[in-house]
């Protein structure tokens, strides 16, 4: 593990574990912390530097753990605090850093503070920890404003007062079981400083900060009419009164100081969906967060010009504030990139793809593009995020029957949007055996597609050209060549290519329909999939040297 003071996060490859779908030691069909511990050697052999765990804290699981009822304990579904400590120590013993997910925008409605708020009177200090308001209309029967939840439906829920009368409303950007905290309240701020210290004291290396762009709302909570193509998570161009408000930056400056109380270099990584890279870079000014996800990069379609542009803009925007760019193609909220990059119809973020969706991808094209996209990503300077299962080339699970769906998006839109279950299906570890080796009982909280036997880790280990072996090769060459640091020089190879050099290493991806001749002096270091000769086929990328 890099020494303290190394700012390891500037170049790290960070592997996202979605605990409920990674490995299930207890056999109840939901992954857990002992499952993660049992698979750390597999992660070590993959060649990643750190893991980020999606939430495993106490939660009624209305939004798969992003609804936290106790920020200082482990949900029994995932194990115990002792299991966490074992996992952390075992990861550190292997030189793997550990980042945990912090969910500060909202809690679960089962959180003791929210329960107290429900019992307390309007205007009480208990209510002031959340965003309670009187309703509009003659008897307060209308919500306080017109905001719409990211998961569909309105953003307000009316409560029944302790005396049984219809009462105030509370704000929830996400599900009604996820009330938003009021971050103008110093008590909330102090509580989260203490939560940060709780996990830092246990030895975590940092936090991925959930909804880092949503914590402050515009004063007065004004009505807002979303423009037609607005992205529900804040991807549009206009000012949205609950996304990206300037006041959030004070909170991160405060947290930066909390992390600096600790030895070593602990990191904050923000989940901030913002309209431009320039705005995103404000989250990582020197006294704020250390990293923020590069969602504009993730959202870039399979188009050479757009990909060149977003890489250029990323390096410029983050470089201007002295932060590393990050790169990410998949996570637990988006369609897996081995499917997304070959969709033939629009699919807004969060809609997912299911049995009746239009524009389903051709699986072979999707996988080729996915592998090529990763081959580009892992050559770029900065830090990269890899989402569990992408190293197997997993596609989105697109045929999940309705009765298995769990994402609140599905329920809040009455099935109009499938939501995110398709990227959350438990991993296949072995081609044979119950639940493809996810556990030894065969239980699985979402059904695994039968064809996933072909993507099982043990099968891919044995196939030299598998996606798993591609990722291993990319990661070991990236480390050996220190590609995480330094800069890149653009090459002009073809309109349909993304081409640049990292020192002596050339990187070219073909996003067009015709092969691209690379010249006969090339020596390949990595091909995103095997080809002979020196012409780069469509949907392929390569690393090579010349001469
Ligand atoms: C973030 C999480 C997502 C969750 C939401 C509400 O966007 O990544 O999974 O549903 O926040 O917490």
């Amino acid at each position: 593990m890099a020494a303290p003071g190394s700012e390891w996060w500037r170049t790290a490859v960070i592997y996202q574990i979605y605990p409920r779908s990674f490995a299930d030691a207890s056999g109840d069909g939901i992954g857990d912390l002992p499952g993660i511990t049992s698979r750390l050697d597999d992660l070590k052999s993959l060649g990643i530097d750190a893991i980020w765990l999606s939430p495993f804290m106490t939660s009624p699981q209305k939004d798969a753990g992003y609804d936290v009822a106790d920020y200082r304990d482990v949900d029994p579904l995932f194990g115990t605090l002792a299991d966490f400590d074992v996992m952390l120590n075992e990861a550190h013993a292997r030189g793997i850093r550990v980042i945990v997910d912090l969910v500060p925008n909202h809690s679960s409605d089962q959180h003791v503070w929210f329960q107290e708020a429900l019992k307390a009177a309007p205007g009480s200090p208990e209510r002031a920890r959340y965003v309670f308001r009187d309703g509009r209309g003659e008897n307060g029967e209308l919500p306080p404003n017109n905001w719409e939840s990211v998961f569909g439906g309105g953003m307000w829920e009316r409560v029944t007062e302790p005396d049984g009368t219809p009462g105030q409303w509370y704000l929830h950007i996400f599900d009604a079981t996820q009330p938003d905290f009021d971050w103008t309240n110093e008590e909330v701020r102090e509580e989260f400083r203490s939560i940060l210290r709780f996990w830092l004291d246990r030895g975590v290396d940092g936090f991925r900060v959930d909804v880092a762009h949503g914590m402050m709302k515009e004063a007065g909570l004004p009505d807002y009419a979303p423009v037609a193509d607005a992205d529900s998570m804040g991807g549009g161009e206009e000012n949205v009164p609950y996304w990206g408000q300037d006041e959030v930056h004070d909170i991160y400056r405060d947290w930066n100081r909390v992390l600096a109380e600790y030895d070593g270099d602990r990191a904050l990584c923000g989940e901030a969906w913002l309209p431009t890279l320039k705005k995103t870079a404000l989250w990582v000014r020197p006294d704020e967060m250390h990293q923020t996800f590069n969602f504009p990069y993730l959202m870039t379609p399979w188009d050479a010009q757009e990909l060149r542009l977003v890489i250029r803009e990323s390096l410029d925007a983050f470089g201007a504030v002295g932060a590393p760019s990050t790169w990410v193609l998949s996570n637990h909220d988006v369609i897996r990139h081995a499917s997304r990059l070959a969709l033939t119809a629009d699919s807004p973020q969060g809609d997912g793809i299911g049995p009746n969706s239009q524009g389903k991808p051709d699986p072979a094209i999707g996988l080729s593009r996915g592998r090529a996209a990763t081959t580009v990503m892992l050559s770029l300077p900065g830090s990269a995020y890899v989402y569990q299962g992408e190293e197997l080339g997993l596609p989105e699970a697109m045929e999940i029957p309705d009765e298995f769906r769990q994402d609140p998006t599905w329920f809040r839109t009455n099935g109009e949007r499938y939501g995110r279950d398709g990227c959350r299906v438990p991993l296949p570890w072995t081609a044979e055996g119950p639940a493809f080796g996810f556990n030894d009982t065969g239980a699985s909280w979402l059904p695994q597609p039968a064809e996933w036997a072909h993507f099982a880790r043990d099968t891919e280990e044995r196939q030299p050209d598998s996606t798993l072996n591609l990722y291993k090769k990319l990661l070991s060459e990236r480390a050996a060549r220190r590609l995480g640091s330094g800069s890149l020089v653009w090459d002009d190879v073809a309109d349909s290519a993304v081409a640049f050099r990292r020192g002596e290493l050339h990187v070219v991806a073909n996003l067009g329909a015709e092969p691209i001749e690379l010249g006969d002096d090339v020596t390949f270091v990595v091909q995103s999939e095997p080809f002979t000769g020196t012409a780069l086929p469509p949907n392929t990328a390569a690393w090579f040297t010349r001469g």
Side-chain angles (χ1 to χ4, degrees):
M1 188 149 53
S6 64
E7 300 197 330
W8 59 275
W9 40 269
R10 286 187 176 274
T11 58
V13 176
I14 301 172
Y15 182 96
Q16 180 188 357
I17 293 183
Y18 194 63
R20 47 173 45 235
S21 302
F22 185 69
D24 174 21
S26 74
D28 65 353
I30 298 183
D32 44 41
L33 296 172
I36 296 172
T37 307
S38 74
R39 293 293 185 182
L40 287 171
D41 285 334
D42 296 297
L43 294 179
K44 183 71 194 166
S45 76
L46 178 59
I48 47 93
D49 303 301
I51 51 180
W52 145 39
L53 271 58
S54 281
F56 50 82
M57 293 83 186
T58 312
S59 161
Q61 305 290 320
K62 297 289 190 213
D63 185 23
Y66 283 94
D67 49 322
V68 179
D70 183 350
Y71 289 87
R72 297 182 182 82
D73 206 352
V74 171
D75 195 282
L77 270 181
F78 300 115
T80 62
L81 274 175
D83 292 330
F84 177 80
D85 292 341
V86 170
M87 190 276 305
L88 183 74
N89 289 335
E90 291 292 322
H92 282 169
R94 288 166 178 77
I96 298 173
R97 308 248 180 187
V98 179
I99 291 178
V100 297
D101 217 307
L102 184 75
V103 188
N105 179 69
H106 47 266
S107 70
S108 159
D109 61 355
Q110 299 306 307
H111 191 285
V112 60
W113 274 11
F114 193 72
Q115 290 300 312
E116 286 172 9
L118 289 180
K119 289 188 204 112
S124 61
E126 288 84 358
R127 290 229 168 152
R129 294 159 173 162
Y130 293 91
V131 186
F132 278 87
R133 294 288 183 276
D134 293 333
R136 294 197 278 205
E138 223 166 285
N139 300 306
E141 71 281 10
L142 299 173
N145 70 22
N146 72 346
W147 298 358
E148 284 183 19
S149 156
V150 169
F151 290 161
M155 214 189 262
W156 295 91
E157 187 77 8
R158 193 169 195 190
V159 302
T160 303
E161 298 298 349
D163 66 4
T165 55
Q168 287 195 303
W169 298 70
Y170 66 87
L171 182 80
H172 58 89
I173 291 189
F174 296 93
D175 192 54
T177 61
Q178 295 168 293
D180 281 46
F181 284 115
D182 185 345
W183 273 90
T184 64
N185 184 335
E186 175 53 29
E187 197 187 355
V188 172
R189 293 190 182 215
E190 186 50 35
E191 173 67 357
F192 272 87
R193 285 180 206 116
S194 154
I195 293 165
L196 288 171
R197 292 191 183 103
F198 176 85
W199 293 103
L200 291 165
D201 288 341
R202 292 200 105 79
V204 304
D205 299 287
F207 301 89
R208 176 265 189 191
V209 180
D210 191 58
V211 195
H213 58 319
M215 292 154 70
M216 297 295 291
K217 282 75 181 174
E218 192 175 320
L221 312 181
D223 271 353
Y224 155 71
V227 296
D229 64 345
D231 178 316
S232 63
M233 279 297 273
E237 285 289 336
E238 80 285 28
N239 175 47
V240 184
Y242 43 89
W243 293 141
Q245 299 297 304
D246 286 343
E247 291 76 14
V248 292
H249 295 289
D250 275 354
I251 303 172
Y252 302 136
R253 293 199 178 95
D254 186 34
W255 290 8
N256 183 300
R257 289 190 292 270
V258 173
L259 266 66
E261 292 164 12
Y262 288 79
D263 57 348
D265 38 7
R266 323 272 179 129
L268 292 168
C269 178
E271 186 217 18
W273 294 82
L274 293 157
T276 61
L277 278 157
K278 226 171 155 188
K279 186 148 188 189
T280 311
L282 300 179
W283 265 248
V284 286
R285 286 174 288 190
D287 58 348
E288 298 196 33
M289 296 212 178
H290 304 84
Q291 295 188 335
T292 183
F293 287 98
N294 188 340
F295 292 124
Y297 179 73
L298 182 151
M299 302 302 276
T300 303
W302 189 246
D303 176 280
Q305 199 183 342
E306 292 200 44
L307 188 54
R308 289 193 298 262
L309 184 67
V310 76
I311 294 172
R312 206 185 292 270
E313 285 185 356
S314 302
L315 294 172
D316 287 352
F318 292 112
V321 293
S325 183
T326 62
W327 312 100
V328 61
L329 290 165
S330 280
N331 65 31
H332 66 293
D333 291 328
V334 301
I335 296 174
R336 283 185 173 278
H337 72 277
S339 297
R340 191 183 69 240
L341 293 173
L343 289 175
T344 58
D346 277 355
S347 180
Q349 194 269 323
D351 276 18
I353 188 148
N356 299 322
S357 297
Q358 301 297 308
K360 286 191 196 165
D362 175 289
I365 296 176
L367 183 56
S368 296
R369 289 183 181 172
R371 290 169 59 133
T374 302
T375 302
V376 173
M377 177 175 86
L378 291 177
S379 76
L380 291 167
S383 172
Y385 279 79
V386 169
Y387 174 50
Q388 70 178 38
E390 66 170 83
E391 76 279 20
L392 304 173
L394 285 187
E396 184 82 354
M398 289 177 268
E399 306 300 331
I400 299 175
D402 293 357
E403 62 269 27
F404 290 102
R405 295 212 169 262
Q406 308 231 0
D407 188 343
T409 311
W410 166 258
F411 298 101
R412 289 187 65 87
T413 62
N414 295 320
E416 215 171 276
R417 294 161 63 194
Y418 284 106
R420 303 158 296 174
D421 292 323
C423 62
R424 299 175 171 181
V425 172
L427 293 189
W429 292 91
T430 57
E432 306 285 331
F436 299 128
F438 172 57
N439 55 25
D440 49 25
T441 62
S444 176
W445 71 280
L446 286 172
Q448 297 164 300
E451 64 275 16
W452 278 21
H454 304 295
F455 295 98
R457 189 180 168 110
D458 66 345
T459 307
E460 293 206 17
E461 288 279 8
R462 291 192 297 270
Q463 296 166 340
D465 297 324
S466 67
T467 307
L468 179 64
N469 282 318
L470 170 66
Y471 271 67
K472 285 188 179 182
K473 177 93 178 161
L474 291 168
L475 288 166
S476 72
E477 288 290 340
R478 175 186 163 91
R481 294 169 186 268
R482 299 183 182 284
L483 298 181
S485 42
S487 54
L488 63 74
V489 177
W490 291 98
D491 278 330
D492 190 4
V493 169
D495 258 4
S496 57
V498 170
F500 49 81
R501 259 167 297 145
R502 305 292 329 276
E504 62 153 16
L505 188 77
H506 293 250
V507 177
V508 181
N510 183 352
L511 288 82
E514 301 298 325
I516 296 173
E517 180 54 47
L518 299 173
D520 54 16
D521 61 342
V522 303
T523 306
F524 288 107
V525 176
V526 186
Q527 297 177 331
S528 66
E529 50 197 310
F531 58 90
T532 51
T534 56
L536 187 66
N539 301 322
T540 308
W543 295 3
F544 57 89
T545 55
R546 286 198 187 277

